[in-house]
């Protein structure tokens, strides 16, 4: 029988006297280190929001009124073309010049065929990176393993991304969709998938409207390191 490692533990006094670095936020009070999920119905402005976020973080400017910590950004826009990205970027920049801390790609491997390895190699070449946006989750999902439940697959894939983010002390923002049937009692229960996905995430952000034609969008946020809150946005 293999020898079982002893349980690693600290008593309360030891923990109290530890020198632990404070939580790093890519966007203060919004996006901490770890796995975050951004979800909404299709064609709701998520990609525009991701472009705004990428430019704000890579330039160190505010995002939706929140302070950012300037750092490198990788935006995996897997449902876009470079032409569409260029047009969207220039509209957000409004004549300003982008910087080399912001990089984009429209293709990558999925989780079952080398995505984590690709991201590991990217971070070796771009060590200033603190934010990786994956747009969308569906594009990097691997095949379900034999006998695996939907919950187990969700938790396995989200868990792999969370472990990667935690190991490198970065934020991975996973762009996803909400369910067709809306839960009015719990906005975060609307994130598509099982609780295996949301349970693995550190932060959840949901965009919603009472009516799709409404000009204002509600941004709801909750997480392990952020307070639950709601904000009203209007896309310009």
């Amino acid at each position: 029988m293999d020898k079982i490692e002893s349980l690693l533990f600290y008593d309360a006094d030891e923990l109290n006297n530890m020198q632990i670095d404070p939580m790093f936020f890519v966007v203060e009070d919004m996006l901490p280190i770890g796995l975050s999920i951004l979800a909404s119905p299709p064609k709701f402005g998520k990609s525009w929001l991701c472009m705004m976020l990428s430019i704000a973080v890579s330039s160190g400017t505010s995002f939706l009124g929140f302070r950012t910590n300037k750092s490198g950004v990788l935006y995996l826009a897997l449902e876009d073309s470079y032409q569409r990205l260029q047009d969207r970027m220039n509209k957000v920049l409004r004549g300003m010049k982008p910087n080399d801390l912001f990089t984009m790609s429209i293709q990558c491997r999925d989780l079952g065929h080398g995505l984590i390895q690709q991201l590991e190699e990217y971070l070796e070449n771009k060590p200033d990176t603190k934010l990786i946006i994956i747009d969308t989750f569906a594009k990097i999902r691997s095949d379900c393993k034999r006998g695996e439940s939907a919950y187990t697959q969700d938790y396995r894939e989200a868990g792999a991304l969370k472990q990667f983010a935690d190991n490198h002390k970065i934020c991975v923002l996973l762009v996803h969709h909400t369910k067709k049937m809306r839960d009015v009692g719990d906005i975060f229960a609307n994130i598509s998938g099982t609780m295996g996905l949301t349970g693995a995430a550190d932060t959840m952000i949901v965009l919603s409207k009472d009516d799709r034609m409404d000009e204002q969008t509600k941004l709801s946020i909750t997480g392990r390191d952020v307070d639950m809150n709601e904000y009203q946005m209007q896309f310009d």
Side-chain angles (χ1 to χ4, degrees), residues 112-130:
H113 299 88
L115 173 62
I116 298 298
Q117 292 90 330
Q118 281 187 319
L119 297 180
E120 295 271 5
E121 183 179 343
Y122 177 86
L123 289 180
E124 287 182 7
N125 295 318
K126 296 279 190 178
D128 292 332
T129 301
K130 285 292 183 181

Side-chain angles (χ1 to χ4, degrees), residues 31-82:
L31 285 180
I33 285 172
L35 177 64
S36 296
I37 295 175
L38 169 64
S40 83
K43 307 296 185 291
F44 232 64
K46 293 188 297 295
S47 295
W48 282 99
L49 200 67
C50 288
M51 180 61 72
M52 293 164 58
L53 172 63
S54 299
I55 290 172
V57 172
S58 61
S59 61
T61 55
S62 66
F63 173 69
L64 301 180
F66 293 90
R67 186 172 66 86
T68 65
N69 289 299
K70 185 176 181 178
S71 52
V73 178
L74 170 62
Y75 180 21
L76 297 176
L78 305 177
E79 293 185 339
D80 275 311
S81 65
Y82 283 119

Side-chain angles (χ1 to χ4, degrees), residues 136-184:
T136 63
F137 183 38
K139 287 289 187 177
I140 60 154
R141 303 209 69 173
S142 56
D143 295 332
C144 183
K145 294 183 178 180
R146 185 168 184 172
E148 186 177 48
S149 67
Y151 175 94
T152 303
Q153 182 187 15
D154 282 351
Y155 195 81
R156 171 175 57 82
E157 294 184 329
L161 291 168
K162 173 175 167 51
Q163 183 177 21
F164 167 77
D166 289 346
N167 288 345
H168 292 281
K169 297 183 178 180
I170 66 170
C171 173
V172 173
L173 178 61
L174 199 57
V175 180
H176 197 35
H177 297 304
T178 51
K179 300 172 183 176
K180 291 182 179 179
M181 298 297 293
R182 189 165 62 171
D183 186 333
V184 295

Side-chain angles (χ1 to χ4, degrees), residues 48 51-52 55 83-96 98 236:
W48 282 99
M51 180 61 72
M52 293 164 58
I55 290 172
Q83 181 182 18
R84 195 179 300 127
L85 282 175
Q86 183 187 63
D87 180 65
R88 194 179 297 146
M89 180 177 66
N90 287 331
K91 285 180 179 177
V92 173
L93 284 170
R94 296 183 179 181
M96 296 173 58
D236 186 351

Side-chain angles (χ1 to χ4, degrees), residues 8 29 68 74 105 129 133 151 227:
L8 178 63
D29 300 321
T68 65
L74 170 62
S105 180
T129 301
I133 301 172
Y151 175 94
D227 295 329

